[in-house]
Amino acid sequence: MVLGLRNFTERTGHGVGQPVLDIGNGEELMRVQPGVDIVLANRPRESHGTLYVSNKKLIWLSDVDEAKGYAVDFLSVSLHAVSRDPEAYPIPCIYTQVQIETEPDGDESDNSDSESNDTLDLSRIREMRLIPSDPNQLDSLFEIFCECAELNPEPNDEEGEEHEWIFSADQVVDEGDEDYISQSPAHAIGQSNGDHDIARTVLQLRIDDEVFEDAEEMEHDRNNTHN
């Protein structure tokens, strides 16, 4: 069952502490990241919150409103990626796509529903952005997302099955269209709910390629100087 994004307000310490976890089922905190804003679909940015990453789900709790918080299971996160392209979003962030239930006729409502209505239906939200106050935290957050996603594989995944991935939110053309995802490994910094070793490999190849190009350029300049 796809739970999607949902309200989460269960906190320890009389509503002012960390989120209440399902310890009985083995849930534990993996990362606490203060100073994270959240954007749901095309709605306004919600500021001053803390992101809690457990081995089961993502939890965002407002620092200014104890009654406001959201959670989504990693099983419902179909894509997560680092987005630094201002054309995709003006602020560096972690971009995620959330699986939602389909309507009885098989049609999915789009994100404009959440923007046009005063009542927010979290079950229809398909996109979420997490914006740390320190952009240098993006890569480490991405790594912990990858680790937790690996701990929560798709129930129908078979060992050795290839995963549909290579994603980059930097390559967004139309974020309302799921076909925006770039299939070019030269620019991919993202991962679906699957094996993240490929993501690291592609990223390392990209880095190695850039270092090689820099070395070639330096050698070319040195030769020109001697001539």
Side-chain angles (χ1 to χ4, degrees):
M1 178 181 178
V2 177
L3 296 177
L5 190 68
R6 58 192 184 276
N7 284 308
F8 188 100
T9 57
E10 301 174 29
R11 308 189 190 206
T12 61
H14 305 288
V16 295
Q18 295 187 343
V20 175
L21 304 179
D22 190 1
I23 299 175
N25 285 324
E27 185 176 17
E28 58 182 319
L29 274 179
M30 305 289 283
R31 174 76 172 264
V32 178
Q33 184 65 51
V36 177
D37 296 349
I38 191 170
V39 177
L40 305 179
N42 297 319
R43 295 176 64 84
R45 177 178 172 183
E46 299 182 38
S47 301
H48 308 303
T50 300
L51 177 67
Y52 298 88
V53 183
S54 81
N55 58 335
K56 302 286 187 181
K57 59 180 175 280
L58 298 170
I59 304 168
W60 182 88
L61 297 180
S62 172
D63 294 338
V64 296
D65 185 351
E66 295 177 8
K68 178 177 287 188
Y70 310 108
V72 60
D73 295 335
F74 273 103
L75 281 174
S76 296
V77 177
S78 59
L79 179 156
H80 64 271
V82 176
S83 174
R84 293 189 176 94
D85 185 351
E87 293 186 4
Y89 194 74
I91 306 170
C93 62
I94 296 286
Y95 171 80
T96 66
Q97 283 188 355
V98 180
Q99 297 183 53
I100 64 173
E101 294 283 6
T102 57
E103 296 288 353
D105 59 1
D107 293 331
E108 296 179 353
S109 67
D110 58 30
N111 292 315
S112 61
D113 293 341
S114 303
E115 188 177 23
S116 59
N117 297 335
D118 292 334
T119 302
L120 175 61
D121 184 0
L122 292 178
S123 67
R124 313 315 303 162
I125 296 294
R126 293 188 296 178
E127 295 179 333
M128 177 177 70
R129 291 178 177 83
L130 299 166
I131 308 171
S133 56
D134 180 5
N136 293 323
Q137 298 297 321
L138 284 173
D139 290 334
S140 60
L141 280 174
F142 174 75
E143 286 296 321
I144 196 68
F145 277 36
C146 290
E147 181 180 343
C148 292
E150 189 175 72
L151 295 173
N152 296 271
E154 290 285 351
N156 294 329
D157 258 0
E158 297 180 2
E159 188 175 354
E161 180 181 355
E162 293 184 0
H163 297 275
E164 297 178 1
W165 79 281
I166 297 186
F167 313 109
S168 173
D170 294 347
Q171 304 299 316
V172 172
V173 175
D174 180 2
E175 291 178 351
D177 184 353
E178 292 184 359
D179 292 335
Y180 84 87
I181 298 170
S182 170
Q183 297 297 326
S184 170
H187 302 286
I189 310 177
Q191 187 212 354
S192 69
N193 192 350
D195 188 353
H196 65 282
D197 289 339
I198 306 174
R200 289 201 185 99
T201 301
V202 169
L203 182 56
Q204 187 60 50
L205 286 172
R206 182 183 178 188
I207 293 171
D208 292 344
D209 186 54
E210 290 175 352
V211 171
F212 179 74
E213 289 178 355
D214 289 341
E216 279 192 328
E217 184 175 345
M218 291 175 62
E219 182 65 23
H220 179 72
D221 293 341
R222 189 180 300 111
N223 292 336
N224 287 340
T225 300
H226 291 323
N227 293 334

